[in-house]
Amino acid sequence: MNKYLDIKDEVKQALKEGKPVVALESTIISHGMPYPKNVETALRVEQTIRENGAVPATIAIIGGRLKVGLTAEDLEYFGKKGPAITKVSRRDIALVAARNQDGATTVAATMIIAAMAGIKVFATGGIGGVHRGAEKTMDISADLDEFVKTPMIVVCAGAKAILDLNLTMEYLETKGVPVFCYKTNELPAFYTKSSGISAPNRADSAQEIADAFNAQQSLGLGGGLLVANPIPDEYSMDPLRINGAIEQALDEMEKAGIHGKETTPYLLDKIQKLTGGESLESNIMLVLNNAKLAAEIASSL
Ligand code: PSU
Ligand code: MN
C-alpha cells in the first residue's frame, strides 16, 4: 500500500470483505458550504450512505497523510477552518503530502485517493467543468480530465450553470467519458432538474450503471464514469431566480478580478449569499439524493 495512505479501519474492513463503500470529497465541506451547515451535511451524507447499506469514506489530506475515512472531529475541523484549508486538486496532492500539510480534496483529487484505496464509487454535489468564457481563459476544471485517468463512478447532480454546460458535455465527449443521466433524458443542471441539453445516455437503475462500469473496466478502457442524478422535484429551484443569481455572481467575479482556483469557491459563495437559504437547502438535498444512489450503485457492483 502507498506509504502516504491512511485508510480508516471500518473502511479497510469493508473493502477487504468486498462490502460496498462510497467515497466523499472534502472541498464541498471547506469551500462549498458555510459552517456549520457544511459539517451537519457531511454527517448526514455519511448517515444516508449507511442507511442505504454502504460504508462512507470521506477523503481529505491531514498533516500530509491521505486520509480515507474521517472521524467526526476531522469533519468539524475541516468545516470550521473552511476556505483557509488549501484546496487540493491533482496538481497539489504531492506538494501538500511532502510538506505535511492539510488539504481539502476536489472531485479530481478525491477520485485519485479513493482509487488508491480500491474504492469504485464516489458521491458529490456538482463537478467542475468548462467555465463560461473558457475560449479566452482556458479555465477547464481538472475534474474532467481525471475521468480519463481514474476508474471511478462519480455521482453528481450535473454541474452548476456557473459553467458552460454545452462545452462541458463536448469536452467529456472528446475525452471519451461515459455520462449517464439517471431516469431522465436531459442533463440535470444542479439546482434545476433540466438544462435543455440532451442526455448522452439514460440509465433507469443502479444495476445498469454498475454493469456499464464493469464492462468499461473489463474491456480495458479504464477511466471513470459520470452519473448525473437530477435534484428531486420538490427541491428543484425556479430557473429564473437561480440563473439571475448566477449571472450577478459572474458579473461581480469579473469586477473583482478573480481567476484560477479561486473562481469556483468565489462563485459558490456569492450564489449562496444572493439566494439566501434556499439554494443551500437545495444543495444539501441533492447531495443526500446522490449519496443514496451512489450507495445503491456500490451495492450493485
Ligand atoms: N461545484 C459545486 N460545488 C463544489 C465544487 C464544485 O457545485 O463544492 C467543488 C468540487 O470540489 C469540485 C471543485 O471538484 O469545486 C472544482 O473546482 P475547480 O473548478 O477549481 O476545478
Ligand atoms: Mn479552474
Side-chain angles (χ1 to χ4, degrees), residues 95-175:
L95 203 76
V96 168
R99 289 177 172 168
N100 304 319
Q101 289 171 344
D102 296 333
T105 52
T106 62
V107 168
T110 303
M111 287 170 76
I112 295 168
I113 298 170
M116 278 179 193
I119 298 172
K120 292 176 178 157
V121 186
F122 161 22
T124 186
I127 63 158
V130 180
H131 280 264
R132 296 196 198 178
E135 62 277 15
K136 281 220 176 83
T137 62
M138 291 183 75
D139 190 348
I140 299 172
S141 174
D143 288 354
L144 298 183
D145 276 79
E146 204 51 53
F147 283 85
V148 179
K149 303 174 187 124
T150 303
M152 185 68 51
I153 300 174
V154 181
V155 181
C156 70
K160 282 198 174 84
I162 54 173
L163 303 172
D164 187 318
L165 298 184
N166 272 307
L167 291 190
T168 300
M169 295 312 285
E170 291 294 346
Y171 193 85
L172 288 169
E173 181 186 353
T174 301
K175 296 287 177 171

Side-chain angles (χ1 to χ4, degrees), residues 1-284:
M1 200 173 75
N2 192 298
K3 70 168 187 172
Y4 291 96
L5 201 60
D6 275 346
I7 308 178
K8 199 177 161 189
D9 281 342
E10 183 197 12
V11 176
K12 204 183 274 174
Q13 190 66 20
L15 288 167
K16 208 171 102 193
E17 293 170 9
K19 288 194 180 141
V21 176
V22 175
L24 298 161
E25 59 150 318
S26 44
T27 295
I28 190 176
I29 304 172
S30 56
H31 294 69
M33 288 182 194
Y35 181 80
K37 278 275 177 190
N38 54 359
V39 179
E40 224 178 279
T41 304
L43 291 166
R44 271 177 86 185
V45 173
E46 290 204 348
Q47 184 57 29
T48 301
I49 288 170
R50 289 184 200 284
E51 283 164 10
N52 287 278
V55 172
T58 303
I59 289 175
I61 304 180
I62 302 181
R65 307 295 305 167
L66 312 190
K67 296 276 181 192
V68 179
L70 299 187
T71 63
E73 293 74 51
D74 295 334
L75 292 174
E76 174 70 20
Y77 171 73
F78 269 79
K80 208 163 196 173
K81 214 168 160 195
I85 301 224
T86 306
K87 174 182 160 189
V88 171
S89 191
R90 170 177 270 273
R91 66 164 186 186
D92 312 292
I93 296 175
L95 203 76
V96 168
R99 289 177 172 168
N100 304 319
Q101 289 171 344
D102 296 333
T105 52
T106 62
V107 168
T110 303
M111 287 170 76
I112 295 168
I113 298 170
M116 278 179 193
I119 298 172
K120 292 176 178 157
V121 186
F122 161 22
T124 186
I127 63 158
V130 180
H131 280 264
R132 296 196 198 178
E135 62 277 15
K136 281 220 176 83
T137 62
M138 291 183 75
D139 190 348
I140 299 172
S141 174
D143 288 354
L144 298 183
D145 276 79
E146 204 51 53
F147 283 85
V148 179
K149 303 174 187 124
T150 303
M152 185 68 51
I153 300 174
V154 181
V155 181
C156 70
K160 282 198 174 84
I162 54 173
L163 303 172
D164 187 318
L165 298 184
N166 272 307
L167 291 190
T168 300
M169 295 312 285
E170 291 294 346
Y171 193 85
L172 288 169
E173 181 186 353
T174 301
K175 296 287 177 171
V177 179
V179 179
F180 283 93
C181 297
Y182 190 66
K183 294 187 176 172
T184 172
N185 294 321
E186 258 184 70
L187 179 75
F190 199 86
Y191 292 120
T192 54
K193 285 203 75 165
S194 45
S195 60
I197 300 168
S198 321
N201 300 285
R202 173 184 170 130
D204 287 286
S205 70
Q207 191 62 56
E208 226 179 299
I209 295 164
D211 290 347
F213 182 74
N214 282 333
Q216 183 181 347
Q217 305 313 320
S218 296
L219 287 163
L221 295 166
L225 184 158
L226 181 63
V227 180
N229 184 26
I231 183 168
D233 260 330
E234 57 273 39
Y235 305 110
S236 185
M237 287 181 73
D238 170 24
L240 281 178
R241 179 170 153 73
I242 188 64
N243 290 329
I246 287 170
E247 294 293 343
Q248 192 178 335
L250 286 163
D251 260 11
E252 290 183 23
M253 184 183 78
E254 199 174 322
K255 285 187 197 120
I258 304 289
H259 59 265
K261 71 190 283 190
E262 308 304 330
T263 300
T264 300
Y266 179 93
L267 290 170
L268 298 181
D269 179 59
K270 268 280 171 301
I271 292 165
Q272 238 141 50
K273 285 180 177 142
L274 288 168
T275 59
E278 195 189 341
S279 74
L280 183 55
E281 187 58 18
S282 292
N283 199 342
I284 292 167

